[in-house]
Amino acid sequence: MPVGFSFCLLATDGAARWGEIRTPHGIVATPAFMPVGTQATVKGLTPETVRLLGADILLANTYHLMLRPGAERIAALGGLHKFMNWPHAILTDSGGFQVMSLAGLREVEDQGVTFRSHLDGAAVALSPERAIEIQDLLGADIAMQLDECVKLPATPSEMERAMHRSLAWAERSKRAFADARQGRALFGIVQGGDDVQLRSASATALIDIGFDGYAIGGLAAGESREVTLGVAAHAAAALPADRPRYLMGVGTPEDLVEAVARGIDMFDCVLPTRNGRHGLAYTRFGPINLKNARHAADPRPLDESSPCAAARDYSRAYLHHLVKAEELLGAILLTTINLAYYQQLMADMRSAIAGRRFPEFRSTALEGWANGDIAVH
């Protein structure tokens, strides 16, 4: 591992792992949830608030930042940490997800990807080498290789082609990363769709190339939760125990607990922020839709025992009013509530693993979500 980056496994409980990732911008306790700051911002919240909610690391997106304001401009302004006033760790997605999600605006070849910018339609080329260059300009603590995802379900030939192309891009990314600034880390990405044999082959080849950590990509892309967790478990078991394991784009609180039970260390997902902006709160009682009319005259908070003031001190009636009136404060409060809950969930899992009581914690959490919200008396 590079100087300034390391991973220490502190305890295990079954397949669940508690550890620490050291980066040039601080320690990341794992299991870790990374709030998504696609365009150098977690929508609606200041960096100071995100930190106070418990985040050690944020995710930003190579594709979006290369289009606006531009990686070179961010570098000239002192790098992404200074630009967004976040002095803690940052992981940057390589842009590979856009290879899949912008299907109508891109062309994929062995050399790389040509996008049509969703902003102005201009053609933009993104190769493995350029993706690494952009992430280095941004100053990411953890950079990701460029990969190709396929939306599931997909044919065996589609999944195999994308997996082999991603491996070729992994080798090129690793060579390009040799010139990156000292202390930064590079993660390879396991691909292979829902085919566990392709996933095994991908993991083996990536280990041979050698990366500082390994991500499992191309999931939560149209398949069932059972398939997601099954493939994640299989891939995690194939990866080195002394490197972080990152399940990309997942997921709900239940997804996080179940994935940690299968050996995953790192997560990112837009659900807590995106759903918060649309009136959905995540709690120990499960998801609660504040648009629902049953909350209109309910004076209770979402969770009177929550350490989060937004969940504890505001009535459901007021949150419902803000959501229905489309007031900005509603989106801000619910985003705060959701990120606070996600970070508390991660902290509770770390504590449970350290105390070797993770199975009990898992059962209690799943039971609480299954029982649902407390009914109005």
Side-chain angles (χ1 to χ4, degrees):
M1 293 186 183
V3 175
F5 180 91
S6 64
F7 175 64
C8 177
L9 191 59
L10 300 174
T12 61
D13 192 2
R17 294 146 51 98
W18 168 45
E20 286 184 348
I21 300 171
R22 293 184 177 269
T23 79
H25 289 90
I27 294 173
V28 178
T30 64
F33 179 80
M34 298 180 285
V36 176
T38 299
Q39 303 201 63
T41 174
V42 177
K43 287 182 172 62
L45 302 185
T46 66
E48 293 83 1
T49 297
V50 175
R51 177 61 172 172
L52 287 172
L53 296 177
D56 294 329
I57 181 170
L58 298 182
L59 178 144
N61 185 268
T62 293
Y63 167 78
H64 288 282
L65 293 177
M66 75 182 246
L67 295 182
R68 183 176 55 192
E72 284 76 11
R73 177 171 293 173
I74 291 175
L77 291 167
L80 187 54
H81 295 84
K82 183 176 181 180
F83 183 65
M84 65 183 297
N85 195 31
W86 176 261
H88 313 290
I90 295 175
L91 179 147
T92 44
D93 189 358
S94 67
F97 179 76
Q98 280 70 37
V99 175
M100 176 184 70
S101 63
L102 301 177
L105 299 172
R106 52 79 171 159
E107 182 176 349
V108 184
E109 299 176 327
D110 288 343
Q111 179 57 30
V113 187
T114 301
F115 291 95
R116 287 287 174 186
S117 167
H118 68 284
L119 299 175
D120 59 10
V124 182
L126 186 63
S127 66
E129 294 79 9
R130 177 57 177 160
I132 294 299
E133 180 186 22
I134 292 168
Q135 293 176 87
D136 191 43
L137 287 166
L138 296 175
D141 297 281
I142 301 174
M144 305 300 297
Q145 70 149 107
L146 184 65
D147 64 327
E148 182 183 3
C149 301
V150 292
K151 188 171 180 60
L152 298 176
T155 66
S157 61
E158 288 174 327
M159 293 187 293
E160 184 173 11
R161 175 191 49 74
M163 185 271 283
H164 284 296
R165 178 173 280 156
S166 294
L167 287 176
W169 287 357
E171 292 180 340
R172 290 166 56 187
S173 297
K174 178 72 181 290
R175 289 195 297 269
F177 193 74
D179 296 326
R181 278 172 282 185
Q182 192 174 28
R184 315 298 181 184
L186 178 65
F187 282 21
I189 304 178
V190 177
Q191 288 290 353
D194 57 9
D195 186 317
V196 293
Q197 292 184 330
L198 289 178
R199 292 282 178 173
S200 294
S202 176
T204 298
L206 289 172
I207 294 167
D208 288 342
I209 297 169
F211 290 91
D212 304 305
Y214 297 89
I216 302 166
L219 292 174
E223 78 284 3
S224 68
R225 171 178 286 167
E226 290 72 22
V227 170
T228 297
L229 293 173
V231 172
H234 182 88
L239 293 171
D242 65 348
R243 296 290 190 273
R245 303 164 180 166
Y246 165 28
L247 180 56
M248 306 178 76
V250 175
T252 66
E254 182 177 349
D255 292 334
L256 301 187
V257 171
E258 291 297 335
V260 167
R262 290 159 172 80
I264 302 298
D265 305 304
M266 301 172 67
F267 304 89
D268 79 281
C269 190
V270 298
L271 287 183
T273 49
R274 177 180 292 167
N275 286 347
R277 295 195 302 275
H278 291 88
L280 187 73
Y282 289 102
T283 75
R284 62 190 173 100
F285 310 116
I288 299 175
N289 185 357
L290 271 303
K291 290 182 178 179
N292 195 307
R294 72 183 179 89
H295 301 292
D298 192 339
R300 300 174 305 155
L302 281 171
D303 185 351
E304 62 183 9
S305 66
S306 173
C308 173
R312 185 187 64 241
D313 298 342
Y314 292 87
S315 72
R316 295 170 182 237
Y318 183 58
L319 294 172
H320 170 81
H321 161 69
L322 293 176
V323 170
K324 296 298 286 185
E326 299 183 354
E327 285 287 342
L328 287 177
L329 182 58
I332 291 169
L333 288 175
L334 287 170
T335 299
T336 301
I337 288 165
N338 289 347
L339 286 183
Y341 182 70
Y342 269 59
Q343 295 299 348
Q344 186 63 54
L345 180 64
M346 307 313 288
D348 289 345
M349 283 196 282
R350 294 192 294 266
S351 178
I353 296 166
R356 298 193 62 80
R357 49 182 178 79
F358 182 77
E360 294 82 0
F361 171 84
R362 177 187 180 190
S363 296
T364 299
L366 294 173
E367 182 180 356
W369 296 324
N371 288 339
D373 190 19
I374 299 173
V376 178
H377 296 296

